[in-house]
Amino acid sequence: MEGSSSISLKRTYRLFVSTWNVGGLLPSDDAELEEWLDIKNGHYDIYILGRFQEVVPLNARNVLGPKNRRVLERWSSLIRKSLNKLPSSKLHEGKQKVHPMKEEEEGKEGGHAQEFECVESKQMVGILVSVWARSDLRRCISHRCIACVGCGVMGCLGNKGSVSIRFLLHETSFCFACCHFASGGKEGDEVKRNTNAMEILSRTTFPSSPPPPLDLPQKITDHDRVFLFGDLNYRISLPNASTRSLMEQNRWSILLQKDQLRMEVSKGKLFEDWQEGAITFFPTYKYYLNSDKYYGCVPTQESGKSRAPAWCDRILWRGEGINQERYDRCELRLSDHRPVRGIFVVDVDVPKSSS
């Protein structure tokens, strides 16, 4: 959509993008999510939260049965409460202010709390993604649309697949694809994940755009700014014992060289022209619940399955005008995965009349 207006200006916004596989576990009513949402550093302009692959257990009842509204309502309530804790005076405190609010948006002297609202939310079986924005930004977000692709059981059910949300922010198009790829640590399972990625990119289609001059993108990669994130499930292509040994020696560079996603991209198998930030955090999977111990590190808790640690949870992006400020993980212990977060500064075209 960029360039659709003959006279436009650039404005920058800060996005918080996160993915978290919660393993089918529902947080308590009084759970606090401030650490995950990075509230201590002030608020961002828009939050895109991919929560949560396996937001419900992936059993036959949940895959084939009706959607559990209680799950969506619980997460939405907790996120709303966490995002709206700080007053507007804390927005971007200690950071470069992205753009000033107009006087009429700031309210009376002293200001009023700039609330965050849910712009869009969608659940497909275990995948739940929502977009939250400052209330004054909501009027700048238009042409919201959702597309779901199931590629799980029988190649079509929603226990694996994607939920994609697209919208225009002023005159720039955004697409966010929250994904859950095929699991498995056997040799060759990475091919299934590659297939999932290619199916999602090819099968995701948004409705036809209105008549000209508005020409909205229909495919994920047609958008100006694109983010793909989720439990992509890529593992480390080494024997489990070797992976654990290298971790104990802090030989992260060797482990990252054997990361399946990086290996498949370097071979030209998928994600050409996509980017990912430098990984400087520990593998995000698989932990014992409520523990900092990786699966297989506590002999008394062993089970029949052997799973080595891996960077399963990732955030990729493509398009110009995107600068990643941070790429890290959060230490919440609710599930066997750790949340992964990306902080981005994005350029957006704004009509001159809106400046």
Side-chain angles (χ1 to χ4, degrees), residues 236-252:
I236 295 173
S237 290
L238 288 170
N240 289 357
S242 299
T243 297
R244 297 185 193 281
S245 175
L246 289 167
M247 286 186 61
E248 292 171 357
Q249 302 172 53
N250 293 321
R251 301 182 72 177
W252 303 107

Side-chain angles (χ1 to χ4, degrees), residues 124-135:
M124 180 185 73
V125 189
I127 301 175
L128 172 59
V129 59
S130 61
V131 177
W132 298 75
R134 295 196 330 257
S135 56

Side-chain angles (χ1 to χ4, degrees), residues 249-307:
Q249 302 172 53
N250 293 321
R251 301 182 72 177
W252 303 107
S253 60
I254 296 178
L255 288 171
L256 281 169
Q257 289 174 12
K258 296 296 183 179
D259 171 72
Q260 287 180 347
L261 177 55
R262 291 190 166 194
M263 293 174 66
E264 296 300 290
V265 171
S266 68
K267 295 174 185 175
K269 298 291 183 66
L270 75 167
F271 291 131
E272 183 180 359
D273 299 327
W274 290 76
Q275 298 184 62
E276 182 182 20
I279 294 178
T280 59
F281 48 87
F282 296 133
T284 56
Y285 173 84
K286 174 180 174 64
Y287 285 92
Y288 291 111
L289 300 184
N290 299 309
S291 169
D292 288 327
K293 296 289 186 181
Y294 283 109
Y295 202 82
C297 296
V298 183
T300 59
Q301 297 185 28
E302 289 302 304
S303 74
K305 294 183 179 180
S306 177
R307 296 188 177 105

Side-chain angles (χ1 to χ4, degrees), residues 9 18 70 85 131 142 157 162 247 295 313 316 327 346 351:
L9 302 174
S18 184
R70 184 171 66 97
K85 273 196 172 180
V131 177
S142 64
L157 293 187
S162 67
M247 286 186 61
Y295 202 82
D313 310 279
L316 312 177
Y327 190 30
V346 296

Side-chain angles (χ1 to χ4, degrees), residues 155-193:
C156 62
L157 293 187
N159 59 308
K160 294 292 190 292
S162 67
V163 174
S164 299
I165 295 179
R166 79 98 182 275
F167 56 79
L168 297 189
L169 177 56
H170 295 290
E171 294 186 334
T172 299
S173 62
F174 285 80
C175 185
F176 300 90
C178 180
C179 306
H180 194 185
F181 291 174
S183 60
K186 300 189 299 294
E187 183 177 353
D189 282 344
E190 67 274 14
V191 177
K192 300 177 185 177
R193 297 185 263 277

Side-chain angles (χ1 to χ4, degrees), residues 188-211:
D189 282 344
E190 67 274 14
V191 177
K192 300 177 185 177
R193 297 185 263 277
N194 293 353
T195 300
N196 288 165
M198 290 183 284
E199 286 185 354
I200 288 166
L201 292 175
S202 64
R203 290 171 52 194
T204 300
T205 303
F206 297 98
S208 300
S209 60

